[in-house]
Amino acid sequence: SQTIHQWPATLVQPVGSPLSLECTVEGTSNPNLYWYRQAAGRGLQLLFYSVGIGQISSEVPQNLSASRPQDRQFILSSKKLLLSDSGFYLCAYRDRGRTEAFFGQGTRLTVV
Amino acid sequence: GENVEQHPSTLSVQEGDSAVIKCTYSDSASNYFPWYKQELGKRPQLIIDIRSNVGEKKDQRIAVTLNKTAKHFSLHITETQPEDSAVYFCAASNNAGNMLTFGGGTRLMVKP
């Protein structure tokens, strides 16, 4: 069966510190992968998506970057966090030729 | 790129009443429109979807309608129950399937 893992579930980081959130998918090959951010009381903002290893598309200019070093691994990073980076980060995947997107459990990031 | 607008941002109804959430999209190439439900602190999950070759789809108490000409689609929940309380997101995607753009979300509160 297919599953998606995202960690950590919660994270408190000081301003200026680096960030690395990891997402892995099991039970599928060559999925489309996504990172979304959900600010408090707001919608799901698409940050990055990837259609293959090393292929990253960015939707909004920001303090974050993404990488896909392996087929089923998607990493969200920052060199120096800002207060405005706080939010709920969700990783998602879609199988090729399928429409439904499946989300990870999310990471609640608080930058202090 | 695609832009999805969702209204209202909050909706309060009495148990047993109907709830309607509306979305508009900008990209005429979009042909797949899912709706996700996100309960408090949990990941979004697909509840119903519709493709552009269909005008309406129903699944028990929930239904979705699509007007391609006007580029809008709606979610209808009948006989609402307290467990319907959640944040609902509409989304739009095109044939390439790489992008999945979400609306801003609607917080539905069903009062017992």
Side-chain angles (χ1 to χ4, degrees):
Chain A
S1 63
Q2 299 170 336
T3 55
I4 177 169
H5 303 279
Q6 184 181 343
W7 68 92
T10 60
L11 190 59
V12 180
Q13 291 284 103
V15 169
S17 64
L19 172 74
S20 180
L21 303 181
E22 189 162 345
C23 174
T24 59
V25 182
E26 296 177 356
T28 185
S29 295
N30 199 26
N32 287 343
L33 296 171
Y34 307 85
W35 277 110
Y36 289 90
R37 176 169 58 201
Q38 185 176 25
R42 306 286 292 277
L44 293 168
Q45 180 187 32
L46 179 61
L47 301 176
F48 301 95
Y49 69 93
S50 171
V51 299
I53 296 174
Q55 300 179 61
I56 308 295
S57 296
S58 175
E59 285 306 295
V60 292
Q62 57 209 317
N63 184 41
L64 303 168
S65 62
S67 61
R68 186 171 178 173
Q70 300 180 46
D71 181 46
R72 289 169 290 179
Q73 183 185 30
F74 205 23
I75 298 172
L76 183 69
S77 304
S78 174
K79 293 182 179 178
K80 288 185 179 182
L81 284 169
L82 306 172
L83 287 175
S84 58
D85 291 323
S86 295
F88 190 51
Y89 289 83
L90 287 157
C91 179
Y93 81 93
R94 295 170 89 184
D95 286 325
R96 294 306 171 99
R98 303 289 292 273
T99 50
E100 183 174 358
F102 296 90
F103 286 86
Q105 66 173 8
T107 296
R108 187 161 303 282
L109 171 66
T110 304
V111 183
V112 296
Chain B
E2 175 66 274
N3 183 47
V4 179
E5 300 283 343
Q6 183 172 346
H7 301 279
S9 57
T10 60
L11 179 59
S12 181
V13 300
Q14 286 295 133
E15 181 178 0
D17 287 350
S18 295
V20 179
I21 303 171
K22 299 181 179 182
C23 289
T24 60
Y25 61 99
S26 61
D27 188 352
S28 56
S30 291
N31 58 4
Y32 172 67
F33 307 92
W35 287 88
Y36 284 77
K37 177 183 180 182
Q38 185 182 29
E39 297 179 354
L40 189 62
K42 297 188 177 180
R43 70 190 79 187
Q45 293 190 302
L46 181 72
I47 55 171
I48 194 168
D49 55 16
I50 190 168
R51 293 182 180 273
S52 59
N53 59 347
V54 176
E56 184 174 358
K57 184 176 178 181
K58 190 173 182 180
D59 183 3
Q60 298 181 2
R61 295 187 299 107
I62 60 174
V64 58
T65 59
L66 171 66
N67 183 327
K68 283 182 60 180
T69 303
K71 287 195 251 174
H72 67 70
F73 55 113
S74 301
L75 177 71
H76 304 253
I77 306 174
T78 59
E79 300 172 26
T80 53
Q81 302 167 2
E83 51 265 39
D84 293 329
S85 296
V87 178
Y88 291 81
F89 292 98
C90 62
S93 179
N94 61 20
N95 249 341
N98 298 335
M99 296 281 293
L100 184 59
T101 304
F102 285 84
T106 296
R107 182 172 300 280
L108 174 64
M109 293 169 285
V110 180
K111 299 177 181 178

